[in-house]
Amino acid sequence: MPEAPTDEPVAGPAAGPALVSAVVGRASVPAVWPPADLLATAVEALHNPGLVVIAGAAGTGRTGVLKRLAESFRGAVFSGGALAMLRGVPALPLSRAVRVRLPSHEAPLLAEAVRSRVRHGLLLLDDLQWADPLTIAALPAIAEHCRIVVTLRTPHRLPGDAERALRAAAAKSGAWLSMPPMPADAAAALVRQLAPSASAAVVTDLVRRAGGVPLAVVALAKHVAQGGTPRDGLDKGLAYTVAGALADLSRPARTAMAALGLLGRPVTATVLGEGLTELVETGLVELTDGVAAPVSPYTAEVAAGLLDATERAALHRRLATLVPPREAARHLAAAGAGAEAYQVAVTAAAAAESSGDRAELLLLACDLPGVDAEPQVRIAAARAALAAGRPGSCLRVIDAATTDPVAAVLRGEALLQQGSPVPAAAAVTAVGDDAPAEVLGGRDRIRLLSMLTTDPGGALARAEELLQVHGEAPAHPGLRAAIAAVRAGTRQPGWEYGLASAASAAGQAGDVLAARWSAWLLVETLTADARLAEAAQAAAAAAAACAGDLAYSWQTRFLAAQLWCDVLRGDAIDEVVRRAGDLADRTLPALARGYAVAAASLAEADGGLLAPARARLEALQNRPASAGPVLDWVTREAAWLDGRPDQAFEPADAAVSTPLVDGLRRITARWAAYDAGASFSTADDTMPLAPVQVTLEAWKAPVRFTEAAAAWHELARREEVRCLLAQGLLEEGADLAVPPLLEAERLAEEAGLVVLLGRARRALRRHSIRRDTRGRRAGDELTDRERDVLRLVANGEPTRRIAGQLGISRETVETHIRSGMRKLGARTRTEAAALAIEELGQ
């Protein structure tokens, strides 16, 4: 910002309109900050001499407003400000602005000296909260003849009469403007600009923490861009600035702000005490219906960070008496009261209504430093962790050295849930036949399921032996579920009913682990057998049940499986991309992430967004073993769709796969061999799934592709299209080739299968048939904004994130997408994005 006059002063009447024109012109270009309406209001107030006060909390961009006004003013700009270290020096802010020594004894004489130099220029003073009394006393008199804009940080320590005098001067000729919070969309756009690799979940969390404070947004975004996380520490520069502002609060207000930081959530007004009124008056806290929330959670965190160890512990203890037991246990733990925290957590866990809450509390009790959890509490924590879908936590709290048979069964179950059946069986070898019935049932379950992976036939025989002992419906829910699993694994008649009834019985008996595990096995087995509609329905029902019990790990697993079924069926590609992308942005268990990434990548590849699909697959690390074959096939399929057949027909890794995925891999390999002109072995073409079998056989007799397409009709739209496409490509005569190609074109266009649609149309052109009836409209070019929107769609960005990056509303984003689809002749937003990227050569 300039600190001396930049031009000769212009006439007074012309300065105001010039400033209005300049600022309004700049506001027509989308800008993140400061807000154009605030700038316009300030400009309007400066038509004539007067005082404009820009008030706001630390980091809200007050100085940025001064800079924009200085850049836009067509005249002399006198810029200065107060300094915290020299707040006692008389007239220092004004002397810095006009660059001369000023009278420092009387306010009227000081005002006249400043007026004679500023005249028709613009006087800008920053950080008025640190100004000396003489400067503040002279401002109303100066404002009678000059245009003045000052910034005032809140909270501040100006005497009450000084603030009243400033407000009176601003009301007489000028304005008192408060900096509004930065809108969430604008904050998200700024984060995306500074940290492009940040996921949607990180962006959302960062914007929430910043609370509309631009400086906090910038500091946190840069921290993330440099490899940090939104949670690992506070930016030192910003924390110092915020701490300086908090120091001007009274002690009760600072304590209340620190309490909000320690709580990490809104709270009823009674919890914060007498300091709340001051926080509301200074704009640091919003009070709605008796509930107080910090405008910027980051500021509250800084306030908590300013407490010394003794103060922090005391405040944690006080909060523990005011919040529910679940939170009280954590506050007591943070205060160093481990023994009290242990008792509160164990008691609260007994009253918890959800398995998620119960697991959190018991795991906390077991992890408290200096506290030796009782064996029964560790057992309960391990059991709760398994019910919540957290086998790793179960293993952490169970002592591997213990000989307790109950602990051994829980350890074996956790290993089984992690996909380690052999170690799981080894974990229960010491459990004898004299153990209680409940323990024996768990032991036999683990042994049976371990045997299912190594010797399915032996497992079936053992299951029948157990049924002879325990009856057709064993009383132990887990053992009943295991027997149903063995029958499902070997596809015994009625296996679906067995799994469903086992899940229902386990739920009624209160064994939520067996219920969820059985439901998951039902979903997996139905999917493996290409019964995708049934699998999706079962997954949706199970996910809803898990959500009600706060079992996040299980819930996300079922949601990801549902999306996988939906994308294979060809249902709503755009919706699958959106939901799977949102899910993959969260913190997920490895299995759920694997299925979510597979679903999103396949949908993007089918929709023509091949680069984002490949990038998503390549970015996935630590692929879970059970989702490995799925991801392997999607990677091959994306390569084939991208015209890289050499990457699609190489032999697969020797990994356990399901009939459907293995069949799809073989079909893709056959297509890749055809495209590459390579030979393909048919030695292993015998497949258990009829649609796969008839598809592979059709490659030897193309007329059978009609039969194959019919077999896929109710199962997977994309495979039905591929069969019709294959028939049209392999048949020589137009009379046999054209009908299936026309049908493939119709189905692909309806489903948004852009790549397969393109292949069908190219094949039709070989027979002199052109069917591009939905091509782009002549003379209808995409606008720059439509290109920007569609480019972001092609990058996999959802609507809310596009709106944030471009600084527009979600409704406007959807309008641009629909307009682009219409101009490009696309049926889906994914197809429109692919066509736009092709047009732009990217």
Side-chain angles (χ1 to χ4, degrees), residues 232-474:
D232 60 358
L234 304 174
D235 177 82
K236 293 182 180 179
L238 175 59
Y240 179 82
T241 301
V242 174
L246 294 174
D248 286 342
L249 294 170
S250 66
R251 186 177 182 84
R254 291 199 305 271
T255 301
M257 199 66 182
L260 285 169
L262 295 179
L263 286 165
R265 64 171 178 83
V267 69
T268 55
T270 54
V271 173
L272 299 181
E274 58 180 301
L276 175 60
T277 301
E278 184 177 349
L279 293 178
V280 173
E281 290 175 351
T282 56
L284 293 175
V285 168
E286 293 179 338
L287 185 63
T288 305
D289 298 329
V291 176
V295 172
S296 169
Y298 185 91
T299 302
E301 293 170 24
V302 172
L306 295 174
L307 299 172
D308 61 33
T310 303
E311 290 174 325
R312 180 185 291 266
L315 186 54
H316 272 301
R317 275 189 169 278
R318 177 173 171 268
L319 291 174
T321 65
L322 300 172
V323 298
R326 178 188 179 191
E327 291 181 73
R330 294 196 174 279
H331 284 293
L332 289 169
E340 295 177 58
Y342 177 81
Q343 294 298 330
V344 171
V346 171
T347 302
E353 297 181 355
S354 69
S355 61
D357 284 346
R358 189 176 305 110
E360 287 288 343
L361 288 163
L362 290 173
L363 290 172
L364 170 65
C366 292
D367 290 337
L368 288 169
V371 177
D372 188 12
E374 300 166 287
Q376 62 268 29
V377 173
R378 290 190 174 276
I379 293 294
R383 186 173 284 116
L386 285 174
R390 300 172 61 178
S393 298
C394 171
L395 293 173
R396 189 182 74 249
V397 299
I398 287 289
D399 186 357
T402 183
T403 58
D404 185 291
V406 175
V409 169
L410 289 172
R411 190 162 50 251
E413 185 68 44
L415 290 167
L416 197 65
Q417 297 300 323
Q418 286 187 328
S420 304
V422 175
V428 298
T429 52
V431 178
D433 293 337
D434 57 345
E438 178 71 17
V439 176
L440 284 177
R443 181 202 66 179
D444 291 344
R445 162 188 166 82
I446 294 168
R447 288 178 174 175
L448 186 61
L449 292 175
S450 299
M451 187 182 296
L452 179 61
T453 64
T454 57
D455 182 12
L460 182 60
R462 177 58 180 158
E464 297 303 324
E465 293 174 5
L466 290 172
L467 288 175
Q468 295 297 322
V469 175
H470 297 280
E472 184 60 31

